[in-house]
Amino acid sequence: MRSVVRRLAHRLLLPAHVRADIRDNELLTRLLEEVLDPDSVCLDVGAHEGAILQEMVRCAPDARHVAWEPLPALAGFLRRAFPTVDVRQAALSDRSGEREFTHVLDEPGWSGFKERPVPRGGAVKKIKVRCERLDAALHEAARPVLIKIDVEGAEEEVLRGATETLRRHRPLVVFEHGAGSADHYGTTPLGIHALLTRELGYEIGGLDGDGPYTSERFTEIVAGGERVNFVARPLSGRM
């Protein structure tokens, strides 16, 4: 009991955005436990150090998961840490080829196609990374049950390159989308909402089951920073 109280007290001392990240990771883990069978294939787009990938492997140990991570050091780490996962040293986008990528050296989680302000500053390095479209890169035999997208603002590019996969397999889509996406990528909540709901037949809600959100409510949530992580669920019978 005391250890639980200490953990709760420690969490309350953390910055609000860190507490939110911890909460969302816990909610996502619970979602994985609810929806995955042992052989359910998951796709981790922007796997970083593999915190969510680890839960995917734990919940679905018999599946051949696929993870994309463009930073060479992190991709190498993931290959060593997860030998059963197909780790691609590449970024997903709406077009294939090579692109410039901003590597934030001290805060690699802030790395992305576009350079943007980092909370504590820090040095950046421009590198070239390989890009893939999910519709072209996914093996024909793979039938994903869940896709996680955490790409620091480029989520619409990933979704645009994955429309065939989403229409064919109807996976759950867990994605990060914050107000900064519009500033650096031109991505807006209205655009994301229209793509997922009108074009692809999904509904958007919170990881805790809140929603589904109208376009106005989704825009309000993103603009106010109430949430940055969402889940899109396919509507039955819509393609």
Side-chain angles (χ1 to χ4, degrees), residues 5 7 22 32 49 52 65 69 74 103 116 124 139-140 195 198 205 215:
V5 172
R7 287 198 300 271
I22 293 172
L32 295 175
E49 294 179 343
I52 301 303
H65 305 296
E69 174 51 55
L74 287 180
H103 180 191
R116 60 199 181 108
V124 303
H139 192 278
E140 288 186 4
L195 172 60
R198 296 180 193 171
S215 58

Side-chain angles (χ1 to χ4, degrees), residues 99-238:
R99 288 177 65 180
E100 186 175 80
F101 194 84
T102 299
H103 180 191
V104 183
L105 299 179
D106 296 329
E107 302 258 9
W110 286 77
S111 303
F113 290 130
K114 305 287 187 181
E115 186 173 351
R116 60 199 181 108
V118 179
R120 290 188 291 272
V124 303
K125 180 181 180 181
K126 301 290 187 178
I127 63 174
K128 294 289 186 180
V129 301
R130 184 170 61 87
C131 296
E132 297 180 337
R133 288 176 58 253
L134 179 59
D135 288 339
L138 192 62
H139 192 278
E140 288 186 4
R143 290 176 169 78
V145 172
L146 183 142
I147 303 175
K148 186 222 85 181
I149 303 172
D150 184 355
V151 289
E152 303 304 313
E155 50 273 10
E156 185 170 1
E157 294 186 22
V158 174
L159 292 169
R160 290 285 178 193
T163 56
E164 295 174 17
T165 300
L166 297 180
R167 288 191 176 106
R168 182 182 303 118
H169 300 299
R170 312 305 283 160
L172 289 178
V173 181
V174 177
F175 66 99
E176 182 185 65
H177 182 60
S181 299
D183 297 334
H184 302 285
Y185 287 86
T187 304
T188 67
L190 285 176
I192 291 289
H193 193 278
L195 172 60
L196 284 169
T197 63
R198 296 180 193 171
E199 295 185 37
L200 296 171
Y202 278 74
E203 62 181 16
I204 300 173
L207 291 172
D208 58 357
D210 191 39
Y213 301 135
T214 63
S215 58
E216 292 80 9
R217 179 58 181 144
F218 183 57
T219 298
E220 180 183 42
I221 290 171
V222 173
E226 294 178 44
R227 301 172 187 264
V228 296
N229 291 298
F230 304 89
V231 58
R233 300 176 182 273
L235 295 171
S236 60
R238 291 189 60 183

Side-chain angles (χ1 to χ4, degrees), residues 21 27 56 68 71 78-79 122 152 155 164 179 189 206 230-232:
D21 285 345
L27 290 171
M56 292 173 173
W68 282 265
L71 294 178
L78 292 172
R79 288 193 182 105
E152 303 304 313
E155 50 273 10
E164 295 174 17
F230 304 89
V231 58

Side-chain angles (χ1 to χ4, degrees), residues 27-105:
L27 290 171
L28 178 50
T29 297
R30 193 178 308 161
L31 177 65
L32 295 175
E33 292 172 344
E34 291 174 356
V35 304
L36 297 184
D37 292 324
D39 60 349
S40 296
V41 174
C42 297
L43 310 180
D44 192 347
V45 185
H48 193 49
E49 294 179 343
I52 301 303
L53 184 59
Q54 181 176 351
E55 296 303 314
M56 292 173 173
V57 172
R58 179 180 67 83
C59 294
D62 300 333
R64 178 66 164 167
H65 305 296
V66 188
W68 282 265
E69 174 51 55
L71 294 178
L74 287 180
F77 166 77
L78 292 172
R79 288 193 182 105
R80 294 189 297 273
F82 302 99
T84 64
V85 174
D86 178 4
V87 177
R88 312 275 183 90
Q89 186 182 313
L92 281 189
S93 181
D94 55 357
R95 57 193 184 277
S96 302
E98 191 176 69
R99 288 177 65 180
E100 186 175 80
F101 194 84
T102 299
H103 180 191
V104 183
L105 299 179

